[in-house]
Amino acid sequence: MEDMFRFADELGPFKIIHVYEPSVSLKAVLVVDNVARGPALGGIRIAPDVSVEECFRLARSMTLKNAAADLPHGGGKMVIYGDPKMPQEKKNQLLRTLACALRNDEEYIFAPDMGTDEACMACIRDEITRVVGLPCELGGIPLDEIGATGWGVLHATEVALQYCDFELEGARVVIQGFGAVGKNTARFLAERGAIIVGVSDSRGTVRSPEGLDVKALLSLKKAGKSVIDYPDGEKLDRNAVIDIPCEIWIPAARPDVINEENMGRLNTKLIVEGANIPITAGAEKALYEKGVLYVPDFIANAGGVICAASEYRGSTRCAALEAIEEKVRNNTKTVLEDAKNRDILPREAAVDLALKRIKRAVNYP
Ligand code: NAD
């Protein structure tokens, strides 16, 4: 009994629900972490090997992200055990079964994550109404298409620059990962005069000190190619993206890409964390103490969830983008100011901000 509660603390988790339906080979786990601010928002991931504890950690990071963004939502996460590349028909069958099983668990709002997309959410919508990330035809806001998270990363960058000794216009930017987050971030930053001098994807890195043509890179990705198919520039191994000198370095790919072993290779002044937990805690601290400013992940990359929460309330795309701009700018300012004034790490300031907002909600009768 004791063991089951080994990761519980004063915030949660509120509920852990295991769903098992042998007739369709469905095995899933839902963690609803904390609902003081409202029903939990957090995606459904299809993966073969996520432990309950990992699911809880993902749910907890949503609790902090949603609270920091001042959304009326707690955090949750759901994992369906299976191959994320299974046929859509099989996914639909599992998702329908899951939606029916959790029909009455009103503390959780279904949303997409790795292995699920808007078609999956449409299928859930057939069964229940507590779902976001829907196709436009069903009232959804296509957050990856409009670049919701990249839009937030742009605004976090602009505010962070108030604490740096250079401007966006003419600043050299390097982006690791050129998917939904990375390519939209590149687009928005280039539109404001930044020079994208290096980008990578899972196949490699392309570098050009004179600047890469972002439109050409976007066309390559649209055609299903890699950034290394870019006609000019220097082609390098994907990990070489860490070595490219720049003023702004943006991780937008995988967790833990910067750690104590490789952090010395970074030659940058500002890191804006587009990806989730891209830098280990030790490396983040050491870099900050060396004078590299960073905006923590759940402050910088909250655009996606702010967009999803806006969709849930029937907002338009324009209103969602405005909400992202306002919230990400305010939060970045609050966190960096607090870190400076109290001489603490930006991550500590970000966690404090989120906890304060959760505790205020808990204290309402
Ligand atoms: P995506 O799948 O659209 O793109 C990921 C990109 O990273 C791809 O270009 C892929 O080729 C590249 N990549 C994978 N492994 C790599 C490696 N080792 N080196 C370099 N590039 C690599 O994913 P996304 O939606 O852009 O998400 C990226 C990150 O941002 C993830 O950590 C995700 O959790 C986080 N995030 C995404 C959103 C969102 O709105 N999509 C919101 C918040 C956080």
Side-chain angles (χ1 to χ4, degrees):
M1 198 63 179
E2 207 174 292
D3 202 37
M4 278 177 63
F5 290 96
R6 69 191 177 282
F7 44 77
D9 59 21
E10 77 281 10
L11 290 184
F14 177 54
K15 275 186 182 178
I16 299 178
I17 299 176
H18 293 263
V19 182
Y20 176 51
E21 179 46 72
S23 66
V24 294
S25 304
L26 169 67
K27 279 187 190 164
V29 62
L30 165 66
V31 177
V32 174
D33 182 38
N34 181 290
V35 290
R37 298 182 60 89
L41 192 52
I44 309 165
R45 179 170 294 196
I46 301 180
D49 54 1
V50 179
S51 67
V52 175
E53 184 157 356
E54 205 176 331
C55 187
F56 157 70
R57 285 175 51 218
L58 293 165
R60 172 58 54 85
S61 70
M62 290 310 299
T63 300
L64 296 176
K65 188 184 291 198
N66 295 344
D70 227 351
L71 299 172
H73 293 290
K77 202 77 179 184
M78 181 133 66
V79 176
I80 295 178
Y81 293 99
D83 178 1
K85 294 201 167 89
M86 70 175 80
Q88 186 69 37
E89 235 168 69
K90 181 65 194 168
K91 278 189 191 176
N92 290 352
Q93 185 188 44
L94 296 181
L95 290 163
R96 275 179 196 278
T97 309
L98 197 55
C100 291
L102 298 172
R103 189 182 296 281
N104 298 321
D105 285 282
E106 298 198 348
E107 298 95 352
Y108 178 69
I109 299 167
F110 290 71
D113 192 51
M114 287 154 65
T116 58
D117 58 11
E118 60 179 39
C120 295
M121 298 306 111
C123 172
I124 292 170
R125 180 69 178 73
D126 260 1
E127 303 293 339
I128 58 167
T129 54
R130 283 187 339 269
V131 53
V132 291
L134 291 162
C136 302
E137 296 76 10
L138 300 179
I141 304 176
L143 67 90
D144 283 341
E145 192 185 307
I146 65 171
T149 302
W151 181 244
V153 172
L154 162 74
H155 288 287
T157 307
E158 283 189 343
V159 172
L161 285 171
Q162 296 166 14
Y163 299 81
C164 299
D165 60 358
F166 62 93
E167 293 184 350
L168 190 53
E169 175 95 42
R172 295 170 302 165
V173 176
V174 170
I175 301 178
Q176 182 190 47
F178 213 65
V181 178
K183 64 188 182 194
N184 285 303
T185 300
R187 176 165 69 92
F188 293 131
L189 289 172
E191 277 167 10
R192 279 163 178 73
I195 302 167
I196 312 297
V197 293
V199 296
S200 68
D201 62 19
S202 55
R203 289 184 47 207
T205 298
V206 59
R207 172 193 181 179
S208 166
E210 293 76 43
L212 298 159
D213 177 350
V214 173
K215 280 198 184 124
L217 287 168
L218 294 175
S219 304
L220 282 174
K221 290 308 268 189
K222 201 166 181 185
K225 296 188 176 165
S226 161
V227 296
I228 54 166
D229 295 313
Y230 187 78
D232 307 309
E234 197 183 346
K235 311 293 155 48
L236 304 161
D237 172 78
R238 70 180 182 192
N239 292 325
V241 75
I242 299 172
D243 305 307
I244 304 174
C246 59
E247 278 74 46
I248 306 173
W249 199 83
I250 298 184
R254 316 260 326 140
D256 296 335
V257 291
I258 300 296
N259 49 52
E260 281 90 332
E261 269 85 63
N262 65 10
M263 65 182 191
R265 289 165 50 190
L266 274 180
N267 183 353
T268 194
K269 293 179 171 177
L270 170 65
I271 300 173
V272 185
E273 298 181 357
N276 288 320
I277 46 167
I279 309 184
T280 61
E284 233 179 34
K285 183 168 186 289
L287 284 164
Y288 189 66
E289 285 169 357
K290 217 181 88 182
V292 180
L293 184 64
Y294 71 93
V295 184
D297 47 7
F298 68 88
I299 298 297
N301 72 19
V305 79
I306 297 170
C307 186
S310 301
E311 174 186 320
Y312 196 60
R313 279 159 188 80
S315 282
T316 62
R317 299 176 182 210
C318 267
L321 290 172
E322 267 174 38
I324 294 167
E325 178 173 343
E326 186 191 327
K327 283 175 184 289
V328 174
R329 287 192 90 89
N330 286 342
N331 286 340
T332 306
K333 180 94 192 163
T334 305
V335 163
L336 296 185
E337 201 59 26
D338 192 30
K340 192 172 84 176
N341 292 340
R342 290 203 288 145
D343 197 17
I344 56 173
L345 297 174
R347 182 163 298 276
E348 291 171 303
V351 171
D352 281 359
L353 173 74
L355 290 179
K356 213 185 292 164
R357 289 181 173 165
I358 295 166
K359 284 178 184 157
R360 237 185 274 149
V362 170
N363 288 337
Y364 283 113

